[in-house]
Amino acid sequence: MLLLHRLRHRLLHRLLRPNLATGCAILCALLSSGGAWAQTVLPGDPQLPSLLMNAQGQRPKVGLVLSGGGVRGLAHIGVLKVLKQLKIPVDLVVGTSMGAVVGGAYASGRSIEELEEFVQHTDWPAVLADRPPRQNLSYRRREEDQLIPSRLELGVDPRGGRTTLPPSAAGNSALEAALESLVRGEQAETPINRLRLPFRALATDLLNGDLVEMVDTPLFLAMRASMAVPGVFSPVRVNGRAVVDGGLVRNLGVDIARKMGAELIIAVNVGSPLLEEREITSAVGVANQMLQILTNQNVAQSLRELKGVDVLIDPDLGNIGFMDFDRFGEAMASGQRSALAAQERLLGLAVDDAQYASFERLRLREPEPLSQMALRLASLKIEGTQRSNPKALREELGLKLGELTGPEDIKRATAALYGLGDFERIDAQISDQGDQRHVTLHVQEAEWAHNRLRFGLALQSNFGDTNRFSISAMHVSTWLNRWGAELRSYASLGEDRGLSLDLIQPLGAGSPWYVDMSVELGASNGDLHDINGRRRMRISNEQTQSQIAFGRRLSNWGDVRFGLARVSGSSKVLIPEPDERTLERNGFRASFLQLRADTLDSLAFPSRGYLLGTRAQYVRSDSGSDYLNFDAIGMAAFRAGRWAGHLYTEWSHAALGSTGGSLGGFLRLSGTTENSLSGRTIGFARLVMARRIGDMPLGLGGAIRAGMSLELGGIIRDRESFAREQLKLAGSAFLAFDTRFGPFYLGAGSTRRGDTSAYLFLGPTW
């Protein structure tokens, strides 16, 4: 390359030396039709590439324009990899959506290797999830999953009678955490017009549809705003304007690059092609096609603005969908192939090793580092609250003034606030002065989250004589007072009917101590079986329970409680219909001690964490007898590659004449009739393993798995002693779908020396 530069200068010298006018005429003849640059053809060696220069005899200013396209935009990394291989420096970058993410990270000083590593190690399903990772949720939110495992939620305005849907299918916290890990150090808060490599991110004004060219916006916010795909991620407020993905108005910002001074443009277009009519099969498909029409129209206009000297790279991404993040490797490889295919035109922009190294040193030069040291926390402010109490939130953070606090501590604290479920966005600003650290958290409360309504549906069938269903709804109202009280209401109809109210009142702003007062009305129908598991009769049970408990939260993963309860109920026989209807009434008072813990990443299909519940209860019946009951459950989840599973155990013991529980049904001795085995003492264990074989469409659920179970359990009835023959061995095979309604199973199970049954199951299995 050095030889080429010498030949170029020698040629120009000879052209201009004999006669200045003649030399100028020859130079003008070499100028391109664009008027801003010239192409010098080296004589004698047609294999050597042409060298490009502007009218001043210098390398033209190169602008790199990166379009949006979801996972297709990861092809930009492959293009950047080729530009590095060919030693082609870039003078400015313009990006939209995923192009803004890749371009912003590149402008902030990330190396190509770091970009590849980020893509490969990011948990993309978590980024696209509709809420923070479950292990980051507060324990109260995890409890709600156990009551209703579905994710069908909306906001309710009790005064106006209006309902509000969440603003996006995916949550913000995981996306923002990923972007924070991508942007270099303090560059996250650096206005993009102060980056060493000039950069612009493009967005769309949600209210009037205007193009928003982010110039002085902090880099992190600019990337996040440009990535706000309508319906997928929530809009972002920038300088008082609600903005979304820039692809709606300028998916390929050629004109912006020209305005920034680019003399030659390398444009990378990764937009999705329009669907064919046979591919539009749903309302979601229609909406997606409309967005693509808008995007393709503005891309077509941008392509017409390209000049003959510009280079267009159009990767062949085939059928890679906008959200096919499991195909990120294909996208990057396609970008690399397409850039290599254009290398004949790109080589004219190459520089020698020394020049390229100089460009890279400037771009990669470390910014002023964000101190990774733990400094003493001098101040902690929370701004932007409306309903929530900043004092209570500071207690939730776990950050103490005067204590050593590092960036990781602040990240964990921010995740804890997201886990409350009350906030749309949280921005953390850190300012270090000497050996003191000042932290300000700007929060944006989610308007729909303070009064949430969740719906659930449970279905169960063995394609025989067991067919059950129930629908349920839960309303949660938060921040009823400055201490953070919550009211949880629950109702269900169907095979199980009930209504409950549960008031949880912290004993201070942000205090881990609380009092829980609840009242519950419930009714259900069930079968009684004989010792051989045959149905003897069907009965109806009704029960009323009131309870008060004092408890303490254990971080965000559990609690311990002591309480008093009063229970009264009645039962009557439905089948066979008796000659005379009679009610058998009963009631008791109880005091209890309970420990609960839940760190599972998912209740439907956990792959890590554990679930624990133990309860000891002293009971005194209205008839005057007293006894002690005890029960415990435990679950430990694990992962091995694409396989995930859990080991579940359960044990319960009740007083003589009482029932500790029952077995039978899907994953509880599969194949055995549901609840057909009951006794004073119950022991049960199962091992479940499932392999991920696919994914549900975005917004409809998560993974699709094929799995199997191995189950072992037995009972001890009154006045019986344990014998090995009482243990039953069972197993099942199933297809499982992690839907927004909850876990859905299609399976078949069998109990050794027992029955076999097929199952359709929607709802919790723990």
Side-chain angles (χ1 to χ4, degrees):
M1 185 60 68
L2 183 59
L3 175 62
L4 295 178
H5 283 283
R6 289 175 178 171
L7 288 172
R8 182 188 69 181
H9 292 306
R10 187 175 301 170
L11 175 63
L12 291 176
H13 179 69
R14 289 179 178 176
L15 286 171
L16 297 175
R17 183 176 59 182
N19 183 293
L20 181 61
T22 303
C24 290
I26 295 173
L27 182 62
C28 291
L30 292 172
L31 290 176
S32 73
S33 59
W37 61 278
Q39 187 175 41
T40 301
V41 182
L42 295 176
D45 189 353
Q47 300 303 316
L48 291 176
S50 301
L51 291 174
L52 298 177
M53 62 182 181
N54 61 17
Q56 289 74 39
Q58 300 173 337
R59 186 185 67 86
K61 193 173 185 178
V62 176
L64 179 63
V65 179
L66 306 178
S67 75
V71 69
R72 298 167 67 92
L74 298 179
H76 298 318
I77 299 175
V79 173
L80 289 172
K81 191 171 185 178
V82 172
L83 295 182
K84 178 182 178 181
Q85 292 171 352
L86 300 180
K87 296 182 176 56
I88 298 173
V90 172
D91 299 286
L92 61 92
V93 181
V94 176
T96 302
S97 195
M98 185 61 83
V101 172
V102 175
Y106 185 75
S108 75
R110 285 293 190 189
S111 68
I112 308 302
E113 293 74 19
E114 287 174 321
L115 291 175
E116 289 180 311
E117 184 178 359
F118 167 78
V119 171
Q120 292 165 359
H121 292 90
T122 295
D123 186 354
W124 293 108
V127 169
L128 299 173
D130 62 333
R131 64 176 183 177
R134 191 171 183 274
Q135 54 269 32
N136 291 345
L137 298 180
S138 69
Y139 187 69
R140 293 180 191 172
R141 305 291 84 83
R142 302 185 200 198
E143 277 188 293
E144 294 169 8
D145 287 349
Q146 296 186 36
L147 289 172
I148 298 182
S150 82
R151 296 292 299 129
L152 301 177
E153 286 188 320
L154 50 83
V156 178
D157 182 357
R159 291 170 295 183
R162 296 183 297 109
T163 58
T164 306
L165 290 172
S168 57
N172 296 325
S173 61
L175 171 64
E176 294 175 1
L179 293 180
E180 286 176 356
S181 70
L182 178 61
V183 179
R184 299 184 68 92
E186 288 184 334
Q187 297 275 27
E189 295 300 325
T190 301
I192 59 178
N193 59 355
R194 290 172 54 191
L195 294 174
R196 293 185 180 88
L197 178 60
F199 170 66
R200 294 291 184 271
L202 308 182
T204 304
D205 190 307
L206 183 61
L207 299 184
N208 57 28
D210 288 346
L211 171 67
V212 179
E213 180 187 347
M214 288 173 282
V215 178
D216 57 357
T217 309
L219 175 60
F220 169 80
L221 186 60
M223 294 165 64
R224 170 66 179 85
S226 188
M227 186 70 178
V229 182
V232 179
F233 298 113
S234 61
V236 177
R237 193 160 293 277
V238 176
N239 295 328
R241 306 168 72 178
V243 303
V244 294
D245 191 305
L248 298 177
V249 292
R250 193 78 84 256
N251 202 44
L252 195 65
V254 172
D255 57 333
I256 305 301
R258 298 260 191 238
K259 187 171 67 172
M260 292 174 66
E263 298 172 287
L264 187 148
I265 288 176
I266 301 174
V268 187
N269 179 31
V270 297
S272 302
L274 294 178
L275 300 174
E276 297 181 9
E277 183 175 358
R278 58 183 174 79
E279 298 176 295
I280 305 175
T281 58
S282 65
V284 175
V286 173
N288 179 64
Q289 184 80 336
M290 292 174 63
L291 291 175
Q292 286 306 129
I293 290 173
L294 292 174
T295 301
N296 288 3
Q297 286 176 344
N298 72 70
V299 167
Q301 174 60 36
S302 296
L303 292 177
R304 286 193 290 269
E305 296 171 359
L306 292 175
K307 300 179 180 180
V309 296
D310 297 327
V311 180
L312 173 63
I313 298 176
D314 195 359
D316 181 9
L317 294 162
N319 64 348
I320 297 179
F322 181 80
M323 290 295 175
D324 291 341
F325 278 93
D326 57 336
R327 302 177 66 182
F328 61 81
E330 298 178 49
M332 290 192 294
S334 178
Q336 186 172 358
R337 287 193 303 270
S338 298
L340 287 172
Q343 67 176 324
E344 184 175 339
R345 301 191 63 193
L346 291 172
L347 280 173
L349 301 171
V351 297
D352 59 38
D353 292 349
Q355 288 177 303
Y356 187 78
S358 177
F359 275 98
E360 281 293 273
R361 276 195 301 272
L362 179 63
R363 186 183 70 83
L364 294 174
R365 192 173 66 184
E366 289 291 335
E368 292 298 322
L370 177 66
S371 175
Q372 297 300 314
M373 297 176 58
L375 302 179
R376 295 199 179 277
L377 186 63
S379 67
L380 175 61
K381 298 179 181 179
I382 298 179
E383 300 177 350
T385 58
Q386 297 180 10
R387 296 180 179 86
S388 53
N389 181 3
K391 181 180 179 181
L393 297 180
R394 282 194 294 269
E395 293 297 324
E396 292 284 349
L397 292 173
L399 302 177
K400 304 297 182 184
L401 295 180
E403 293 186 355
L404 294 176
T405 304
E408 290 302 319
D409 299 319
I410 297 171
K411 286 183 180 180
R412 284 192 292 268
T414 303
L417 282 194
Y418 266 124
L420 296 177
D422 296 323
F423 301 101
E424 191 76 33
R425 296 194 66 245
I426 303 173
D427 294 326
Q429 295 184 354
I430 304 173
S431 174
D432 295 338
Q433 300 175 5
D435 62 348
Q436 293 187 328
R437 175 157 287 161
H438 302 268
V439 177
T440 301
L441 298 181
H442 299 274
V443 302
Q444 179 183 337
E445 296 179 349
E447 291 297 326
W448 68 277
H450 290 288
N451 279 288
R452 301 190 306 275
L453 188 61
R454 181 186 292 193
F455 297 96
L457 174 66
L459 299 173
Q460 183 177 351
S461 174
N462 64 356
F463 301 96
D465 55 359
T466 299
N467 298 281
R468 306 179 61 179
F469 85 97
S470 64
I471 56 174
S472 54
M474 175 176 60
H475 176 262
V476 178
S477 184
T478 63
W479 294 102
L480 299 177
N481 54 40
R482 301 297 287 175
W483 284 4
E486 291 187 10
L487 178 64
R488 182 189 297 154
S489 307
Y490 176 86
S492 64
L493 291 172
E495 194 76 16
D496 297 315
R497 305 169 297 281
L499 176 65
S500 67
L501 298 174
D502 190 1
L503 177 65
I504 303 172
Q505 175 63 65
L507 300 179
S511 172
W513 296 93
Y514 66 89
V515 60
D516 182 358
M517 297 171 286
S518 65
V519 59
E520 179 180 352
L521 307 175
S524 62
N525 299 336
D527 295 331
L528 294 181
H529 299 78
D530 61 21
I531 193 172
N532 297 314
R534 293 190 293 265
R535 291 184 179 86
R536 291 193 295 112
M537 63 180 65
R538 167 157 288 203
I539 62 173
S540 173
N541 296 306
E542 296 182 359
Q543 181 174 284
T544 302
Q545 174 177 307
S546 56
Q547 177 179 288
I548 182 170
F550 297 89
R552 190 184 194 283
R553 287 187 290 114
L554 304 175
S555 186
N556 70 335
W557 52 264
D559 68 3
V560 59
R561 311 196 309 167
F562 169 79
L564 302 173
R566 167 64 184 173
V567 180
S568 60
S570 63
S571 61
K572 61 183 179 182
V573 177
L574 298 178
I575 301 174
E577 187 173 354
D579 295 333
E580 184 176 335
R581 293 276 180 155
T582 59
L583 288 177
E584 181 180 339
R585 300 184 181 276
N586 54 73
F588 60 85
R589 295 177 176 84
S591 57
F592 62 88
L593 179 64
Q594 187 176 37
L595 171 66
R596 302 178 298 177
D598 180 359
T599 66
L600 296 176
D601 58 347
S602 167
L603 279 181
F605 309 102
S607 61
R608 57 181 177 270
Y610 58 84
L611 178 71
L612 176 67
T614 61
R615 180 181 176 111
Q617 181 171 264
Y618 174 74
V619 179
R620 185 172 183 84
S621 67
D622 292 346
S623 62
S625 59
D626 54 359
Y627 46 89
L628 183 67
N629 290 348
F630 181 82
D631 60 77
I633 63 169
M635 178 191 291
F638 58 88
R639 172 182 289 175
R642 295 182 67 86
W643 288 86
H646 69 260
L647 178 64
Y648 175 89
T649 61
E650 176 181 334
W651 185 82
S652 62
H653 177 75
L656 187 67
S658 301
T659 298
S662 60
L663 293 175
F666 183 55
L667 296 182
R668 295 184 59 81
L669 295 184
S670 300
T672 301
T673 303
E674 182 185 13
N675 297 328
S676 61
L677 303 177
S678 60
R680 179 185 175 191
T681 302
I682 287 181
F684 175 72
R686 71 167 175 253
L687 173 66
V688 174
M689 294 189 67
R691 179 179 173 84
R692 189 180 191 132
I693 60 174
D695 292 280
M696 299 283 289
L698 179 67
L700 298 182
I704 303 173
R705 292 180 171 88
M708 55 190 172
S709 71
L710 184 64
E711 308 153 35
L712 181 68
I715 64 171
I716 301 176
R717 295 185 174 87
D718 289 345
R719 298 182 176 84
E720 283 185 345
S721 58
F722 174 73
R724 289 179 56 186
E725 291 75 17
Q726 292 171 297
L727 289 176
K728 292 183 177 292
L729 181 66
S732 70
F734 57 81
L735 279 176
F737 303 80
D738 187 5
T739 75
R740 292 293 293 268
F741 292 93
F744 176 79
Y745 294 85
L746 282 173
S750 177
T751 299
R752 186 182 182 190
R753 299 192 184 93
D755 296 329
T756 297
S757 182
Y759 292 100
L760 180 151
F761 196 96
L762 173 64
T765 58
W766 51 90

